[in-house]
């Protein structure tokens, strides 16, 4: 279990919370959370440490882009998520996945802030882990089999995800995700939305690979050439990690 914790990029605190909440039946454990409480907890989401140096993904993603993207953008989402949850200790005890699953149930006062910043916190945590300086191989094992079964093989999957990323108007993400019926699918979401956001996002399931197509992800190096960024990005995909996520999603 500890290995899953590390490989999925969650802090130990989040992992423990996630396990505990799941075991207890998430919302049954927290039936009342509509009003801020005076009782504060010290639990806070923490910016994950990048699993490689800032320059490790060059030339595909340059060092300065990584420094700003992780150290400013991702840090900002993390800080604003914590700020939104201040005064809601019942919510602060939940995992990020539980928060995003249950956006429609959150208080009106913080729903949009959690959607934007909780989404940004989760999406970037996944993004860093799903890339590697040694990336770019091909999917293997049960993930390879599922891609062939549900998406027609690696080439078709790659083409579909690239198209979803290229045609996402404005800022957003393209996803490879596992639907609730266990099949793989490809789609995209605007802003910091993701497939975890039941009742909010038009696609629903468990993301296992995401591609950030906000301009902040590529503009310094590629300017307006999103297609070149997408094409180059495939050389950094960490398929063993994506396969771990796939296994966790279908075995959950
Ligand atoms: Mn980003």
């Amino acid at each position: 279990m500890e290995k899953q914790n590390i490989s999925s990029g969650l802090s130990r605190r989040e992992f423990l919370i996630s396990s505990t909440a799941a075991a207890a039946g998430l919302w049954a454990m927290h039936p009342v959370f509509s009003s801020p409480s005076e009782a504060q907890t010290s639990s806070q989401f923490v910016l994950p440490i990048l699993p490689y140096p800032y320059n490790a993904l060059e030339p595909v993603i340059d060092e300065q882009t990584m420094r700003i993207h992780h150290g400013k953008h991702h840090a900002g989402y993390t800080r604003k998520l914590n700020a939104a949850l201040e005064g809601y200790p019942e919510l602060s005890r939940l995992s990020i996945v539980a928060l995003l699953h249950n956006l429609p149930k959150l208080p009106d006062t913080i729903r949009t802030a959690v959607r934007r910043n909780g989404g940004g916190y989760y999406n970037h945590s996944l993004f860093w882990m799903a890339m590697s300086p040694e990336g770019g191989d091909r999917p293997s094992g049960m993930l390879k089999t599922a891609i062939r079964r549900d998406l027609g093989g690696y080439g078709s999957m790659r083409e579909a995800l690239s198209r979803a990323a290229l045609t996402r108007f404005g800022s957003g993400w393209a996803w490879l995700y596992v639907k609730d019926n266990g099949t793989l699918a490809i789609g995209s979401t605007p802003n910091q939305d993701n497939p975890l956001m039941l009742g909010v996002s038009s696609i629903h399931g468990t993301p296992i690979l995401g591609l950030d197509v906000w301009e902040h992800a590529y503009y310094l190096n590629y300017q307006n050439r999103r297609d070149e960024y997408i094409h180059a990005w495939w050389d950094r995909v960490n398929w063993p990690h994506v396969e771990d996520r796939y296994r966790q999603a279908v075995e959950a």
Side-chain angles (χ1 to χ4, degrees):
M1 294 300 274
E2 191 64 22
K3 184 177 177 297
Q4 285 186 4
N5 169 25
I6 292 162
S7 70
S8 61
L10 300 177
S11 75
R12 179 168 175 77
R13 183 190 71 83
E14 289 167 83
F15 177 71
L16 291 172
I17 291 163
S18 174
S19 309
T20 308
L26 205 54
W27 292 101
M29 194 177 160
H30 305 287
V32 179
F33 52 87
S34 56
S35 61
S37 163
E38 308 234 341
Q40 271 294 327
T41 70
S42 60
S43 56
Q44 294 229 307
F45 290 102
V46 176
L47 179 67
I49 295 168
L50 210 61
Y52 35 73
Y54 281 115
N55 64 1
L57 302 180
E58 289 192 343
V60 172
I61 304 181
D62 62 283
E63 176 175 353
Q64 192 185 3
T65 294
M66 288 299 293
R67 284 190 182 280
I68 297 169
H69 202 174
H70 177 263
K72 303 292 184 189
H73 291 282
H74 197 185
Y77 295 124
T78 307
R79 187 178 63 250
K80 290 174 190 167
L81 172 62
N82 287 326
L85 295 174
E86 243 175 64
Y88 296 88
E90 304 94 339
L91 297 178
S92 296
R93 280 192 283 273
L94 295 175
S95 72
I96 188 61
V97 170
L99 284 168
L100 299 181
H101 265 153
N102 291 282
L103 278 179
K105 298 179 191 169
L106 297 187
D108 293 344
T109 45
I110 63 167
R111 187 180 305 118
T112 299
V114 174
R115 179 179 179 174
R116 291 173 180 168
N117 298 296
Y121 173 79
Y122 176 90
N123 294 347
H124 290 88
S125 302
L126 184 154
F127 189 51
W128 311 135
M129 295 299 291
M131 295 189 290
S132 162
E134 291 88 37
D137 280 348
R138 298 289 171 93
S140 62
M142 65 189 295
L143 177 60
K144 178 181 181 179
T145 304
I147 287 174
R148 190 185 299 140
R149 181 192 66 207
D150 299 332
L151 299 169
Y154 175 80
S156 306
M157 178 278 298
R158 178 171 163 156
E159 198 179 309
L161 200 149
S162 295
R163 190 167 51 245
L166 188 63
T167 57
R168 165 49 55 192
F169 182 75
S171 298
W173 292 74
W175 302 103
L176 174 62
Y177 66 102
V178 183
K179 295 209 266 192
D180 292 340
N181 65 9
T183 62
L184 281 173
I186 281 171
S188 80
T189 53
N191 305 314
Q192 295 297 349
D193 287 358
N194 68 41
L196 292 172
M197 297 177 177
L198 182 59
V200 171
S201 171
S202 60
I203 57 174
H204 185 249
T206 304
I208 60 172
L209 176 64
L211 173 53
D212 188 345
V213 293
W214 283 57
E215 285 188 345
H216 69 224
Y218 64 87
Y219 203 84
L220 290 180
N221 205 19
Y222 298 90
Q223 291 82 49
N224 63 323
R225 302 185 305 278
R226 188 191 282 189
D227 57 337
E228 288 182 24
Y229 160 67
I230 293 167
H231 184 80
W233 172 78
W234 289 102
D235 285 339
R236 294 293 180 268
V237 174
N238 182 353
W239 286 111
H241 178 75
V242 180
E243 190 180 349
D244 279 351
R245 280 189 176 268
Y246 173 71
R247 191 178 298 108
Q248 289 170 37
V250 295
E251 288 173 359

